[in-house]
Amino acid sequence: MLKVAFHPIYKHPLPEGHRFPMEKYDLLPKQLLHEGTCEQENFFQPEVREENEKYIRSVHTPEYLKELYSLTIEPRKARKIGFPLSAELVERERIITDGTIKACHYALEHGVAMNIAGGTHHAYSDHGEAFCMLNDQAVGAQYLLQNKLAKQILVVDLDVHQGNGTAEIFQQDDRVFTFSMHGKSNYPFKKEISDLDLPMENDCDDEHYLTALRNTLPGLIEKVKPDFIFFLSGVDILSTDKLGKLGCTVAGCKQRDEFVFEQCLKYDIPVEVSMGGGYSKDIKTIINAHANTYRTAQLMFF
Ligand SMILES: [Zn+2]
């Protein structure tokens, strides 16, 4: 069964003009239920669990966590996160991390599991950036490794923004291979070095995008031989995205998801999917493109 972590919407309104589309966390599960892609039993609600702290602490530094949890991050560093910090927001990040840990578990059981949130790949070991405070997939990877549930992990980060935090966190760790395919001239402007980076030119269309992915991912799986995959399925690769600079269509984005799932199935590798970015002007486009990832998983795995 497809298990999906959902998260109640962040209750505090963001400041006027804030670009982060918080409503998608509310609208996406509603859409999936409405159209019958998911039933209530597909959803689970993560929570704050103290036992997750040891995995969070193996990803993030004690100094950073102390500042984050006590809301005492200095203003210059807090501005980089881009959200007005609050206890509720930090709690939400911890809940999202639990969603990814549990989704790892469900993925081992069912082949795939998803988190309607997460993909917080700009969170570094010692600071947060760009709406990301705790790196959910990095924490999930530590959970799997420490519990001997996986030996070799592959991160397939297809959000339009480079997975800079994830790259930094696992720079010295051979057990986690970080692959990031992203917009060359998109944030972050100073990129980290992933184990494999595939920067794409501005306005890159479906054909170029999918060809690059098809030419890379199977060979990578053969080389890395992962026993677990984290997929970051951001839909900010769309031409309609306000932040992304690539030129993919909704159909192309869906073909991307199909291709990733096809490889996971072909090589029989469990996959956890965190949602990542999506900032198209029309919220309906965002919801439709994200919903495609869930529709595709349902169709291909179950
Ligand atoms: Zn993004």
Side-chain angles (χ1 to χ4, degrees):
M1 189 203 296
L2 181 67
K3 296 299 273 186
V4 178
F6 88 98
H7 305 269
I9 195 163
Y10 178 58
K11 290 188 255 357
H12 292 217
L14 293 170
E16 187 97 18
H18 202 283
R19 293 193 289 187
F20 195 82
M22 202 49 97
E23 65 270 37
K24 74 180 185 181
Y25 301 99
D26 183 41
L27 294 174
L28 183 58
K30 280 185 183 148
Q31 173 62 31
L32 295 173
L33 276 173
H34 170 76
E35 68 186 31
T37 297
C38 290
E39 307 283 336
Q40 207 61 58
E41 58 178 6
N42 291 110
F43 293 115
F44 67 96
Q45 200 194 317
E47 60 200 347
V48 171
R49 287 191 304 154
E50 285 310 315
E51 58 262 50
N52 291 342
E53 287 307 302
K54 74 170 175 180
Y55 310 114
I56 293 173
R57 284 178 194 286
S58 59
V59 166
H60 297 288
T61 62
E63 297 78 21
Y64 171 53
L65 290 174
K66 197 175 156 206
E67 290 171 356
L68 183 69
Y69 289 179
S70 60
L71 306 177
T72 55
I73 297 185
E74 54 165 300
R76 189 181 52 86
K77 275 176 90 179
R79 265 198 304 276
K80 279 191 133 185
I81 294 175
F83 280 137
L85 273 188
S86 68
E88 195 202 335
L89 200 62
V90 173
E91 186 184 88
R92 190 169 183 277
E93 287 279 305
R94 294 171 76 191
I95 295 173
I96 289 170
T97 303
D98 186 53
T100 296
I101 288 177
K102 285 189 176 130
C104 285
H105 217 78
Y106 286 125
L108 289 168
E109 209 175 317
H110 303 284
V112 63
M114 348 246 311
N115 194 349
I116 300 193
T120 40
H121 58 168
H122 304 308
Y124 280 68
S125 56
D126 66 351
H127 70 276
E129 271 186 36
F131 315 135
C132 302
M133 284 157 266
L134 299 174
N135 193 312
D136 68 306
Q137 291 187 324
V139 174
Q142 281 295 349
Y143 166 79
L144 292 170
L145 292 167
Q146 289 179 34
N147 290 294
K148 302 196 174 2
L149 298 168
K151 282 199 194 78
Q152 182 65 59
I153 290 168
L154 174 63
V155 178
V156 178
D157 186 336
L158 303 185
D159 191 274
V160 82
H161 303 102
Q162 193 211 24
N164 53 351
T166 316
E168 180 264 341
I169 287 166
F170 294 116
Q171 207 112 66
Q172 310 296 334
D173 193 337
D174 292 340
R175 300 169 304 170
V176 181
F177 190 102
T178 53
F179 165 45
S180 177
M181 186 168 162
H182 49 262
K184 189 181 178 177
S185 47
N186 265 112
Y187 166 89
F189 303 110
K190 183 192 158 293
K191 301 206 173 25
E192 296 296 328
I193 299 170
S194 312
D195 291 308
L196 180 63
D197 285 301
L198 202 50
M200 306 304 289
E201 299 292 335
N202 284 359
D203 303 316
C204 158
D205 62 11
D206 290 347
E207 198 193 323
H208 282 92
Y209 186 91
L210 292 167
T211 302
L213 182 64
R214 287 185 184 121
N215 287 341
T216 307
L217 187 56
L220 197 56
I221 293 176
E222 296 275 358
K223 184 182 123 184
V224 176
K225 298 193 185 0
D227 51 10
F228 197 95
I229 287 179
F230 284 97
F231 173 28
L232 209 168
S233 63
V235 300
D236 41 15
I237 63 166
L238 298 181
S239 62
T240 48
D241 199 87
K242 286 184 286 181
L243 303 184
K245 294 190 171 139
L246 301 188
C248 292
T249 67
V250 172
C253 188
K254 184 170 184 243
Q255 279 176 279
R256 172 199 73 174
D257 297 343
E258 283 166 357
F259 186 73
V260 173
F261 289 144
E262 199 181 288
Q263 302 309 304
C264 296
L265 282 164
K266 181 178 162 197
Y267 291 93
D268 196 21
I269 306 166
V271 56
E272 188 279 335
V273 188
S274 287
M275 194 160 77
Y279 314 93
S280 288
K281 212 176 287 164
D282 187 353
I283 184 75
K284 286 193 198 116
T285 308
I286 302 178
I287 298 302
N288 187 33
H290 278 309
N292 275 337
T293 314
Y294 297 78
R295 294 167 184 148
T296 305
Q298 272 290 23
L299 213 65
M300 293 179 71
F301 283 82
F302 304 99

